[in-house]
Amino acid sequence: MRFRFGAYELDVARRELRVAGELRSVQPLVLAVLAYLVRHRDRVVTKQELMRQVWPDAVVADASLHRAVSLARRALRPGDRGLLRTHARIGYRFLAEVSTPDAAEEAALCGPPRYATCGDIHLAYRILGDGPVDVVLVLGWSLAMESALRLGGAADLVAALSGRARVLLFDKRGTGASDRVKALPSLAERVGDLGALLDAVRSRAAVLVGFSEGGPLAMAFAATRPARVRGLALVGAFARMAAARDHPSGWTEAEIAALRAYIRKGWGSGATMRALVPERHLTDAVRAWAARAEQEGASPGAALDLLEMNLEIDVRPLLPRVRAPAVVLHAAGDRVVRAGNGRAVAAAIPGARLIEAAGDDHAFLFDGRPRLERELKALVDRTGAGG
């Protein structure tokens, strides 16, 4: 995504700042500070939030943050340095009027969703970017694309990818802005839905990125429709949700019972969405986002149906049939889908590469986002070069 203010153009995906068309040399961390403040210009960003977002893997002293902000000011012309205001002992705020020159991208983000049809089911989707390779983000659980795009890490990931690919997001049937369904959808029906989406956007083949519960759908599609998959990335994913004698990393009966009880009595307060956020990133703003995301994603009844469908999933027999280049990313301390799931998936897919990262970033949208971004860009570049 690009931002313009006065004589400046800030390109987040390319990590470039231009002044009157001329490229200005800015350190990557300093540019990240400026970009975060520009993106969140509607409010004061606290020092703690800025440290968490820009230096997720380090303990940062106030002096280091102050220096980074000072360098961000110095990247602006002397008369414009007041645009970056310090709020003593609290944080910083960017004050300029900002426009986004990517009108088509803004319309895609802010306008109504588009719809593809599979039989009589309408599937909501959005397209961002216009690169030569298609990337489909298959979101997990009941997370709707609108909610995902309001989460900073997800929005930053989409912005980075849209600089070199056409990024597609969609709401699975029964969730978000897609049609609610009366009968429990099968995995085969969801595979058909994904095929219908690719048909609607005239995509011959795409890189699939399956997050968490979106992973089995991405795997099944790759195994059964190999000609339509350029590459496969699986993030915090599983091939079977429920534990079994030969699958000890799955969810236990006690964990499933607790989730059913929460959906029946507490749905809408955000517990399932908060689970995808690392503990140290759970701010009040993120907690509010999580509650709203749960409410927008599905009703309690739909969430219960989704859970029952997930408990029936077992795509392990399909994994040896996957032929697309595959990378599996999993957090060693994942609190939602245990790391053993990622190891098992990577071992079963021919040639798959396993990246097991420290921490508990389930969806790799916080501490793990830089690594996820690098891996996806490499996969896009590799599959794009291959035609």
Side-chain angles (χ1 to χ4, degrees):
M1 180 173 287
R2 291 179 294 161
F3 299 96
R4 280 184 180 162
F5 47 97
Y8 303 88
E9 182 173 300
L10 174 62
D11 191 319
V12 177
R14 295 180 181 274
R15 294 181 170 86
E16 293 179 348
L17 177 66
R18 293 182 181 272
V19 184
E22 294 185 4
L23 186 63
R24 180 153 296 193
S25 178
V26 184
Q27 297 174 20
L29 278 174
V30 174
L31 195 67
V33 167
L34 181 61
Y36 195 81
L37 292 171
V38 170
R39 185 184 293 280
H40 299 280
R41 59 193 177 276
D42 59 320
R43 59 184 173 86
V44 175
V45 176
T46 67
K47 294 179 181 179
Q48 293 77 14
E49 178 182 348
L50 202 52
M51 290 175 181
R52 283 195 303 268
Q53 295 297 329
V54 180
W55 291 274
D57 300 316
V59 176
V60 181
D62 276 357
S64 298
L65 176 61
H66 178 77
R67 174 169 171 75
V69 173
S70 178
L71 290 173
R73 282 198 183 96
R74 287 170 58 185
L76 306 178
R77 291 170 171 174
D80 296 328
R81 291 172 184 171
L83 297 177
L84 213 169
R85 175 178 295 175
T86 298
H87 290 256
R89 297 184 298 279
I90 300 174
Y92 307 93
R93 185 173 183 181
F94 191 76
L95 299 176
E97 290 291 329
V98 177
S99 64
T100 53
D102 300 309
E105 183 173 314
E106 276 298 288
L109 280 169
C110 302
R114 305 182 190 186
Y115 285 92
T117 57
C118 186
D120 58 354
I121 298 296
H122 296 82
L123 303 164
Y125 72 93
R126 292 188 183 278
I127 298 176
L128 297 164
D130 58 358
V133 177
D134 290 334
V135 175
V136 182
L137 303 186
V138 187
L139 302 177
W141 188 222
S142 63
L143 181 61
M145 57 182 175
E146 305 293 349
S147 299
L149 289 170
R150 287 198 302 271
L151 187 63
D156 289 343
L157 177 66
V158 170
L161 292 176
S162 64
R164 65 183 67 199
R166 186 171 67 149
V167 183
L168 289 82
L169 297 93
F170 73 104
D171 290 339
K172 301 186 294 290
R173 65 166 67 197
T175 68
S178 291
D179 283 348
R180 296 297 186 258
V181 291
K182 296 179 181 178
L184 190 69
S186 67
L187 185 61
E189 286 176 313
R190 284 193 161 186
V191 166
D193 290 345
L194 183 48
L197 172 66
L198 293 181
D199 290 341
V201 301
R202 299 185 179 182
S203 175
R204 290 187 300 173
V207 172
L208 304 184
V209 187
F211 292 89
S212 193
E213 181 265 352
L217 170 54
M219 291 181 239
F221 193 91
T224 58
R225 304 192 184 190
R228 305 205 73 174
V229 180
R230 288 175 174 265
L232 181 65
L234 302 165
V235 186
F238 58 85
R240 175 188 170 103
M241 180 178 181
R245 184 171 298 176
D246 61 346
H247 182 56
S249 296
W251 278 49
T252 66
E253 291 184 5
E255 289 169 330
I256 293 166
L259 179 54
R260 283 197 185 103
Y262 167 74
I263 294 172
R264 292 191 182 104
K265 298 181 180 179
W267 185 257
S269 59
T272 65
M273 294 298 174
R274 288 198 301 272
L276 68 85
V277 181
E279 288 282 358
R280 69 196 191 96
H281 292 282
L282 279 173
T283 63
D284 289 342
V286 170
R287 289 185 176 89
W289 169 86
R292 184 176 175 186
E294 231 174 50
Q295 296 159 21
E296 292 177 339
S299 66
L304 284 170
D305 285 347
L306 178 58
L307 174 58
E308 298 309 316
M309 189 206 81
N310 287 342
L311 292 173
E312 294 178 1
I313 289 174
D314 189 347
V315 298
R316 291 180 297 169
L318 296 177
L319 300 188
R321 295 166 54 185
V322 175
R323 292 293 177 264
V327 59
V328 178
L329 298 101
H330 217 108
D334 194 325
R335 297 169 294 136
V336 182
V337 178
R338 281 180 276 273
N341 289 272
R343 296 173 201 141
V345 166
I349 295 177
R353 189 160 54 93
L354 174 65
I355 297 170
E356 189 170 311
D360 60 346
D361 192 355
H362 171 57
F364 279 68
L365 294 176
F366 292 84
D367 302 345
R369 186 183 58 76
R371 184 62 182 269
L372 174 59
E373 183 180 315
R374 289 196 301 271
E375 293 297 332
L376 293 183
K377 284 181 176 179
L379 191 58
V380 166
D381 292 345
R382 174 185 175 185
T383 59

